[in-house]
Amino acid sequence: MDIKIKQKLEKYNLILASNSPRRQQLFTDVGIPFNVRVIETNEALTDCLSIEDQVMALATEKAEAQNDVLKEKDLVITADTIVVQNNSILGKPQDRLQAKAFLEAYSGNSHRVLTGVCIKTIDKQEVFYEETMVHFNSISSDVIQDYLNQNTFQDKAGAYGIQDSIGKWCISKIDGCYYNVMGFPMAKFITQLQRFLSDE
């Protein structure tokens, strides 16, 4: 990590408001120390906003849920990831049947993955999003069943992880950030964080 960012972060208690093991691992991998504090929100979507505004609104809602416990030196990071195909938002699957339908829809098609991120202190906040286009090869029913049998689809937006076996086997290419599809656009986050901290 850039030494200047690291030095500025030292005066904060960085809180990652996410139970996602993938997000937590990404922060660990880049050497950003953090604590986890999650306050549940309803994460309801609305047709009144564009898809881009919706994913940013979800991240903002998670950040603002921290308001009552936010301390002066806290720096909260929240995120929300959605998958969009044919202008339909695909969240975490409700069950195996819905996950199967998602995967069948990806076969031979492309979809968008958007992650909204909010950076918040007691004095200010910034929200942004990143988008990646994901292209799938045709997926056989055997590959889908094998993946579903692994039971790794349940906690993932769109019912798959790019780092999982089905991603390695079936994704032909992506346009954009790989880590965004994992659930957190780390490169863009570092850029936005540097800008956020430069005003301090």
Side-chain angles (χ1 to χ4, degrees):
M1 185 199 302
D2 185 282
I3 187 66
K4 292 181 181 178
I5 297 177
K6 190 171 184 178
Q7 288 172 343
K8 288 185 176 182
L9 281 176
E10 287 176 353
K11 70 176 184 177
Y12 288 103
N13 170 36
L14 194 147
I15 298 164
L16 178 60
S18 174
N19 284 321
S20 166
R22 294 162 297 281
R23 291 179 184 141
Q24 293 174 20
Q25 188 61 53
L26 285 173
F27 271 69
T28 300
D29 288 347
V30 298
I32 298 178
F34 64 92
N35 296 303
V36 174
R37 185 174 72 205
V38 178
I39 298 175
E40 297 298 329
T41 61
N42 63 17
E43 300 186 36
L45 296 166
T46 173
D47 292 335
C48 298
L49 299 173
S50 68
I51 288 171
E52 294 81 3
D53 286 340
Q54 285 192 66
V55 76
M56 289 192 292
L58 290 170
T60 301
E61 180 183 4
K62 291 179 179 180
E64 292 180 347
Q66 303 275 341
N67 283 346
D68 290 342
V69 294
L70 202 61
K71 297 179 180 178
E72 184 177 353
K73 295 301 181 181
D74 287 348
L75 191 155
V76 175
I77 310 300
T78 61
D80 200 278
T81 299
I82 59 175
V83 173
V84 181
Q85 187 172 48
N86 298 327
N87 291 320
S88 294
I89 295 175
L90 310 181
K92 295 178 182 178
Q94 296 178 357
D95 51 33
R96 182 187 176 99
L97 188 62
Q98 188 175 54
K100 180 174 180 286
F102 287 178
L103 296 172
E104 289 174 343
Y106 301 150
S107 180
N109 292 311
S110 303
H111 59 266
R112 302 158 64 197
V113 178
L114 293 89
T115 302
V117 178
C118 186
I119 306 171
K120 181 177 178 63
T121 63
I122 201 166
D123 297 317
K124 65 176 183 175
Q125 70 181 36
E126 180 175 345
V127 62
F128 63 93
Y129 77 94
E130 180 69 290
E131 177 176 342
T132 304
M133 184 70 73
V134 182
H135 308 270
F136 266 77
N137 291 322
S138 295
I139 315 174
S140 71
S141 59
D142 288 344
V143 168
I144 290 175
Q145 291 301 327
D146 179 67
Y147 181 65
L148 293 175
N149 288 340
Q150 296 172 36
N151 289 318
T152 58
F153 64 87
Q154 296 167 326
D155 70 332
K156 296 182 174 74
Y160 79 95
I162 191 171
Q163 73 280 4
D164 292 344
S165 61
I166 200 163
K168 295 181 177 74
W169 188 264
C170 299
I171 292 176
S172 59
K173 69 173 183 175
I174 66 169
D175 299 317
C177 175
Y178 173 91
Y179 296 104
N180 183 51
V181 187
M182 280 185 67
F184 198 84
M186 187 57 72
K188 187 168 185 178
F189 166 72
I190 294 297
T191 299
Q192 296 295 122
L193 179 64
Q194 187 170 20
R195 185 178 305 161
F196 187 91
L197 294 176
S198 68
D199 297 332
E200 297 293 316

